[in-house]
């Protein structure tokens, strides 16, 4: 047991460790939810927990949890993490606020002056779709955010691969 | 490096063209870079050369105090503090410092002797301009008079010195003062433009700078500026005497970390808009270079469009990997065991070898994802291993090796057995 892990503070620990802890906690929470469901785990046919719908729901929750823990690990320093957190919280609340925010973001996007007449404008607009929050950014900061986003995605993939290995290895 | 050779030539040209001293205010601009390098080299030589040069010790004091109060940080500060015996922190900037070796050859150049006498005129002209812009006419007077008067006795001493550094330090004093003055107000007046500021701010800053001292030229540069110098130094000759006030407008972007100083190239428009455009384009290309390093296999790609396509594909593939992995976790992870979390955290954070498993675990990844294989092989060696008890795996990680490491990493606790049994029971549909 590593005592350091139990006392990790957001400032000292690395992005990887923050994400790992957050994601594992989220997974634990999700597992508790599913295990508290009426299907007992000792039978082979745990049909309800492995039904496609249930699995699909679980998959979606895990994906959201992964994104959320990644964005929380990054914090509010980056535009993309802020956007992600906002999206996730809006989804949770499911209030009219979410639509209002989306509209405001779209307005910001259309009101932006098209200053850049680069030859690569098409590709840059393509990239906007993939980087969260990229719609309302200019090309320069978009590339900046994309670089950080790629780095964090890499970390995320590594950690999740490791977790999947550990859980599936027998 | 090529840039330094250009600077050498630029310096020579500067001095040759310095006959029009009063109007050569802008010719100081290429100097600061020189100054920073020379100042570095001259630091060690300043003390011995101080003795025969009382002028510099006394005459520049008001200027020194001015620069002091302006609190600029640059190599020129260090040089000034050295020879005025001022208790000022010696803060050497690192850019261009490595290039001092080329200065050694410099004084052996025969043209150096001709250049030396021109320096005072050059220096005074630029100095007075700079000083004038600070509103210190008395200093300008001092600079004009003292510069010419006391330069000569030192000239011979400077040239006769066999060590090249001594001769350089001579020029350094002149140049570093100008540089110091030049840098001090800039450090104060320029606002730091944040990276995320939109175009407007950059242009506004640019206009402000243009309306301000056009003769100021800041020394804190990064590699970007040296590159610009490379292009600009050769183009400077055509613009030495003319409209230097306009030509040397700078943009308000980053110095070391927040200014980029741009020089308008020959034949290019010099209004603020195009300069700001150029600065933004350079920022973008710098970001593209960073991205190129992040995305594997993009070292040979030249061209923004192709590079951007690669980046988009990479981001897409990473996102799909995350989705795939979360789906996998949804199917294989039904068990909850609190202790497991700690063990897992430790294992995940300590062991850096998890990448290779993706080969065996990604049946869902079709051929449109060339990245996974490239990624993990590429990233495996870059992952530092912090735990001494886990040996770092070689690049080609096979599943059985992973299993071995897995067992090695885990303590032999009953939890694992439970996990194993439950996992095997609960993944029927996988």
């Amino acid at each position: 047991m590593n005592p350091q892990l139990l006392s990790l503070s957001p400032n000292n620990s690395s992005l990887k460790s923050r994400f790992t802890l957050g994601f594992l906690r989220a997974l634990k929470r999700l597992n508790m939810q599913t295990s508290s469901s009426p299907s007992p785990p000792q039978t082979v046919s745990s049909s309800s927990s492995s039904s496609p719908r249930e699995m699909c729901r679980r998959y979606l929750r895990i994906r959201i949890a992964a994104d959320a823990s990644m964005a929380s690990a990054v914090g509010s320093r980056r535009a993309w993490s802020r956007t992600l957190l906002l999206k996730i919280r809006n989804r949770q609340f499911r209030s009219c606020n979410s639509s209002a925010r989306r509209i405001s973001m779209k307005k910001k996007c259309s009101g932006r002056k098209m200053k850049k007449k680069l030859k690569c404008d098409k590709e840059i607009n393509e990239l906007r779709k993939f980087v969260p929050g990229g719609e309302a950014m200019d090309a320069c900061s978009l590339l900046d955010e994309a670089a950080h986003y790629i780095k964090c995605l890499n970390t995320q993939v590594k950690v999740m691969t490791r977790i999947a290995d550990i859980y599936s290895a027998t | 490096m090529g840039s330094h050779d250009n600077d050498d030539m630029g310096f020579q040209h500067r001095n040759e063209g310095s006959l029009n001293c009063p109007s050569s205010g802008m010719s100081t601009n290429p100097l600061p870079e020189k100054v920073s390098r020379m100042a570095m080299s001259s630091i060690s030589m300043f003390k011995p050369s101080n003795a025969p040069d009382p002028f510099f010790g006394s005459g520049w004091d008001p200027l020194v105090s001015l620069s002091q109060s302006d609190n600029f940080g640059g190599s020129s500060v260090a040089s000034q503090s050295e020879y005025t015996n001022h208790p000022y922190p010696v803060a050497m900037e690192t850019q261009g410092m490595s290039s001092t070796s080329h200065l050694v050859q410099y004084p052996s150049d025969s043209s150096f002797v001709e250049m030396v006498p021109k320096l005072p005129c050059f220096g005074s002209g630029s100095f007075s301009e700079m000083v004038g812009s600070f509103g210190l006419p008395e200093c300008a007077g001092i600079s004009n008079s003292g510069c010419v008067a006391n330069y000569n006795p030192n000239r011979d001493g400077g040239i006769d010195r066999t060590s090249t550094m001594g001769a350089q330090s001579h020029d350094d004093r002149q140049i570093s003062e100008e540089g110091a003055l030049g840098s001090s107000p800039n450090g104060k007046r320029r606002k730091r433009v944040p990276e995320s500021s939109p175009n407007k701010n950059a242009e506004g800053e640019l206009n402000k700078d243009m309306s301000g001292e056009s003769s100021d030229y800041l020394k804190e540069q990064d590699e970007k500026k040296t590159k610009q110098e490379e292009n600009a130094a050769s183009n400077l000759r055509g613009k030495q005497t003319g409209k230097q006030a306009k030509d040397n407008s700078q943009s308000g972007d980053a110095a070391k970390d927040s200014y980029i100083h741009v020089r308008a190239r020959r034949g290019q428009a010099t209004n603020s808009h195009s300069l700001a455009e150029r600065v933004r384009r350079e920022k973008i290309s710098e970001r593209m270079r960073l991205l190129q390093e992040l995305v594997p296999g993009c070292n040979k790609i030249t061209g923004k469009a192709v590079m951007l396509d690669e980046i988009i594909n990479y981001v897409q593939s990473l996102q799909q990997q995350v989705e795939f992995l979360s789906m996998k976790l949804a199917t294989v992870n039904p068990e909850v065991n609190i202790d497991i979390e700690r063990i897992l955290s430790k294992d995940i954070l300590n062991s850096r070898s998890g990448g290779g498993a993706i080969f065996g675990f990604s049946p869902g990844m079709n051929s449109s994802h060339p990245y996974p294989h490239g990624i993990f092989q590429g990233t495996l060696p870059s992952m530092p291993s912090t735990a001494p008890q886990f040996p770092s795996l070689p690049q080609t990680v096979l599943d059985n090796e992973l299993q071995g490491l897995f067992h090695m990493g885990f303590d032999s606790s009953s939890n694992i057995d439970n996990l194993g049994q439950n996992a095997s029971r609960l993944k029927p549909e996988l």
Side-chain angles (χ1 to χ4, degrees):
Chain A
M1 203 78 74
N2 194 348
Q4 292 170 3
L5 278 174
L6 305 180
S7 59
L8 277 174
S9 66
N11 295 327
N12 300 340
S13 53
S14 68
L15 174 79
K16 185 171 193 169
S17 42
R18 287 199 302 269
F19 169 66
T20 312
L21 279 180
F23 188 50
L24 284 174
R25 281 191 199 127
L27 277 181
K28 193 167 70 172
R29 246 179 289 140
L30 281 172
N31 292 335
M32 275 190 206
Q33 284 175 12
T34 54
S35 62
S36 65
S37 62
S39 72
Q42 65 269 14
T43 60
V44 178
S45 65
S46 48
S47 51
S48 62
S49 66
S50 58
S51 69
R53 182 172 296 184
E54 191 58 41
M55 221 155 62
C56 190
R57 218 172 292 165
R58 221 177 111 78
Y59 146 70
L60 287 171
R61 285 200 198 117
I62 289 184
R63 195 183 63 186
I64 293 174
D67 287 338
S69 48
M70 192 71 224
S72 320
V74 170
S76 320
R77 295 192 300 264
R78 287 279 165 177
W80 67 265
S81 66
R82 288 194 293 266
T83 317
L84 263 185
L85 286 170
L86 213 60
K87 258 190 229 169
I88 291 168
R89 280 168 198 169
N90 286 341
R91 203 180 308 182
Q92 283 173 354
F93 293 153
R94 285 196 188 163
S95 61
C96 56
N97 286 342
S98 62
S99 52
R101 280 201 189 93
R102 266 183 246 125
I103 287 169
S104 66
M105 280 183 73
K106 276 182 192 159
K107 268 190 195 160
K108 208 170 157 190
C109 171
S110 58
R112 183 170 34 98
K113 274 195 272 181
M114 305 305 273
K115 276 194 178 180
K116 278 272 138 202
K117 295 193 189 91
L118 289 184
K119 304 169 229 167
C120 337
D121 257 352
K122 263 188 212 167
E123 283 86 3
I124 288 187
N125 289 332
E126 277 285 316
L127 186 60
R128 284 184 208 277
K129 298 178 196 164
F130 291 104
V131 176
E135 307 285 336
M137 280 189 230
D138 59 323
C140 206
S141 37
L142 176 71
L143 291 177
D144 213 11
E145 296 285 320
H148 192 258
Y149 186 56
I150 286 176
K151 197 171 68 143
C152 297
L153 275 179
N154 264 328
T155 316
Q156 196 176 14
V157 164
K158 277 182 219 163
V159 171
M160 287 175 75
T161 322
R162 195 76 190 99
I163 293 176
D165 294 345
I166 289 169
Y167 274 125
S168 60
T170 53
Chain B
M1 284 201 281
S3 65
H4 305 308
D5 293 334
N6 280 337
D7 288 318
D8 275 337
M9 294 194 310
F11 187 80
Q12 291 183 16
H13 259 284
R14 255 175 266 133
N15 287 308
E16 283 157 12
S18 66
L19 287 172
N20 308 325
C21 286
S23 63
S24 68
M26 293 337 294
S27 53
T28 57
N29 289 332
L31 274 181
E33 198 178 0
K34 232 8 179 177
V35 173
S36 61
R37 293 199 207 111
M38 283 184 159
M40 175 64 150
S41 58
S42 61
I43 280 270
S44 55
M45 296 301 298
F46 265 141
K47 298 250 167 74
S49 57
N50 255 346
D53 205 7
F55 163 70
F56 286 103
S58 58
W60 298 124
D61 272 338
L63 303 169
V64 170
S65 59
L66 162 76
S67 60
Q68 231 191 342
S69 63
D70 267 329
N71 192 27
F72 58 90
S75 54
S76 49
V77 178
S79 57
Q80 236 187 7
S81 66
E82 284 291 319
Y83 69 78
T84 55
N85 298 327
H86 221 290
Y88 215 70
V90 179
M92 302 303 299
E93 303 309 326
T94 55
Q95 316 95 358
M97 285 312 166
S98 54
S99 59
T100 57
S101 56
H102 75 287
L103 293 170
V104 176
Q105 307 133 13
Y106 197 73
S108 58
D109 197 354
S110 58
S111 58
F112 182 78
V113 176
E114 285 92 31
M115 277 194 284
V116 166
K118 287 180 192 156
L119 276 175
C121 183
F122 167 75
S124 68
S126 58
F127 225 162
S128 56
E129 252 196 64
M130 279 199 236
V131 168
S133 63
F134 306 154
L136 287 173
E138 69 273 17
C139 293
I142 291 172
S143 72
N144 281 326
S145 57
C147 205
V148 180
N150 294 1
Y151 185 79
N152 281 332
N154 293 313
R155 182 170 44 124
D156 294 334
I159 293 172
D160 288 349
R161 251 180 258 236
T162 54
S163 87
T164 58
M165 299 301 254
Q168 287 164 11
S169 66
H170 211 37
D171 307 329
D172 300 344
R173 264 179 250 129
Q174 283 277 352
I175 298 155
S176 56
E177 289 143 15
E178 301 147 10
L181 269 196
S183 60
S184 54
N186 278 336
K188 277 288 210 189
R189 291 190 204 197
R190 285 197 203 285
K191 278 203 289 213
R192 302 226 135 194
V193 180
E195 282 301 322
S196 56
S197 69
N199 256 340
K200 290 181 223 164
N201 283 350
E203 286 183 0
E205 194 77 12
L206 194 64
N207 289 330
K208 207 191 315 174
D209 292 336
M210 282 188 71
S211 58
E213 318 85 25
S214 54
S215 61
D216 293 335
Y217 197 75
L218 198 50
K219 264 73 64 189
E220 292 91 357
Q221 326 92 337
D222 45 351
E223 297 83 27
K224 223 173 298 182
K225 183 176 175 296
T226 61
K227 272 196 206 128
Q228 293 158 9
E229 284 295 331
E230 201 176 323
N231 297 325
S234 51
N235 297 327
L236 259 185
R237 298 162 210 187
K239 298 202 269 182
Q240 274 293 314
T241 58
K243 18 183 172 169
Q244 283 153 355
K246 276 189 212 159
D247 292 348
N248 289 291
S249 55
Q250 300 106 25
S251 74
D253 278 337
K256 246 185 327 180
D257 37 356
S258 48
Y259 288 113
I260 299 173
H261 287 274
V262 184
R263 168 162 299 145
R265 296 183 200 154
R266 181 176 191 158
Q268 282 192 351
T270 58
N271 59 343
S272 58
H273 288 279
S274 50
L275 274 171
E277 268 296 310
R278 199 152 71 94
V279 164
R280 288 195 59 78
R281 255 179 277 139
E282 277 156 5
K283 266 211 278 190
I284 285 184
S285 36
E286 190 205 347
R287 305 255 160 90
M288 294 285 294
R289 262 176 271 136
L290 285 173
L291 277 167
Q292 209 167 15
E293 289 163 26
L294 275 179
V295 179
C298 282
N299 301 324
K300 296 147 196 159
I301 294 178
T302 49
K304 275 200 270 190
V306 183
M307 188 63 218
L308 280 170
D309 280 335
E310 283 293 306
I311 291 169
I312 290 169
N313 284 340
Y314 188 58
V315 171
Q316 224 174 345
S317 79
L318 282 177
Q319 285 173 342
Q320 281 168 351
Q321 274 183 43
V322 169
E323 286 195 15
F324 174 77
L325 283 167
S326 56
M327 194 172 312
K328 188 165 153 46
L329 280 173
T331 58
V332 304
N333 181 17
E335 268 305 301
V336 177
N337 197 328
I338 300 176
D339 291 340
I340 288 276
E341 306 301 325
R342 298 294 176 243
I343 298 172
L344 287 176
S345 315
K346 180 177 82 155
D347 191 54
I348 289 161
L349 292 177
N350 291 338
S351 152
R352 302 289 187 258
S353 61
I358 198 69
F359 293 98
F361 287 130
S362 55
M365 309 283 248
N366 44 15
S367 57
S368 66
H369 302 297
Y371 289 113
H373 310 278
I375 291 169
F376 293 103
Q377 291 215 336
T379 54
L380 270 176
S382 66
M383 290 190 279
S385 174
T386 59
Q389 67 266 31
F390 297 116
S392 57
L393 286 185
Q395 248 183 327
T396 58
V397 175
L398 305 176
D399 283 1
N400 47 5
E401 282 182 350
L402 243 188
Q403 297 251 341
L405 184 76
F406 168 79
H407 288 302
M408 215 168 31
F410 269 56
D411 303 326
S412 57
S413 62
S414 57
N415 292 333
I416 298 169
D417 298 335
N418 287 338
L419 176 66
Q421 289 164 17
N422 290 332
S424 60
R425 258 184 301 203
L426 287 165
K427 50 173 185 178
E429 269 91 270
L430 192 61

